[in-house]
Amino acid sequence: SRRFLLARPGEPVYPADFLIGKTASEAPEEGSPEEILASFFESYGKKSLRQESARLFTAESRIMLTVLFEEWAEEGYIPTALRFGESRREEGNTEITVRCFRDRSSCACEFKLTREEGNWKICSFSGNLADLDLPYTEPEELFEPEVYYFF
């Protein structure tokens, strides 16, 4: 199975994908915020965040985010696949929503990145990777694609 799921012609798109907005259609470019997130998830999956924390996290959030993700990694909340939403950039900052998959479960997480020392670094995270342990449940409401419209 592939690690990064992109929104390319012929690729499957699922109703839950619409919750994160438009999905990225290209692989991350070198040095981009998406590439930093891809690198973060690689280090997270290998449980080597402590060694990479200075490169991945801003100085202000480094200790908090390293401890948080190390605890989740030890609990085994490691996604097997990812789908990135399109980044929303504004004045040196960007926000990216990511859907994380494991088995039949998934969860959405929001990352905020900023420029520090000329490089993109993660400064904030919102989400709960422990949701990857929750059993998959079918949505109760019908999926109506026309409700979701992105410019």
Side-chain angles (χ1 to χ4, degrees):
S1 78
R2 295 169 315 155
R3 181 94 166 120
F4 298 102
L5 307 174
L6 301 171
R8 292 185 175 147
E11 297 278 336
V13 177
Y14 303 98
D17 290 335
F18 287 84
L19 299 176
I20 67 168
K22 280 186 167 182
T23 54
S25 58
E26 299 295 325
E29 292 180 23
E30 189 173 335
S32 69
E34 293 84 358
E35 191 264 337
I36 291 298
L37 282 182
S39 182
F40 158 77
F41 277 106
E42 289 299 320
S43 296
Y44 175 66
K46 294 176 185 174
K47 299 181 181 178
S48 62
L49 276 181
R50 191 166 298 273
Q51 297 89 310
E52 298 290 325
S53 66
R55 185 177 63 83
L56 298 171
F57 303 126
T58 60
E60 184 177 287
S61 62
R62 188 169 301 141
I63 293 171
M64 178 192 68
L65 291 176
T66 301
V67 169
L68 172 69
F69 286 109
E70 282 181 338
E71 287 177 9
W72 276 339
E74 288 305 314
E75 293 292 325
Y77 305 133
I78 298 173
T80 55
L82 306 165
R83 177 162 274 168
F84 289 179
E86 283 191 333
S87 64
R88 297 171 305 281
R89 294 187 190 190
E90 184 179 301
E91 296 181 27
N93 296 305
T94 190
E95 295 179 7
I96 302 173
T97 306
V98 179
R99 270 193 70 216
C100 302
F101 299 87
R102 190 179 77 189
D103 299 324
R104 289 201 58 193
S105 294
S106 71
C107 67
C109 303
E110 175 103 356
F111 288 86
K112 292 184 181 176
L113 295 92
T114 191
R115 285 237 182 233
E116 184 177 273
E117 301 167 357
N119 299 306
W120 288 105
K121 295 187 180 189
I122 301 167
C123 61
S124 178
F125 168 82
S126 176
N128 186 3
L129 291 176
D131 287 350
L132 291 173
D133 241 10
L134 297 176
Y136 174 78
T137 55
E138 288 287 336
E140 294 180 18
E141 71 277 352
L142 290 175
F143 174 60
E144 298 182 40
E146 61 273 2
V147 171
Y148 300 94
Y149 181 77
F150 303 102
F151 298 93

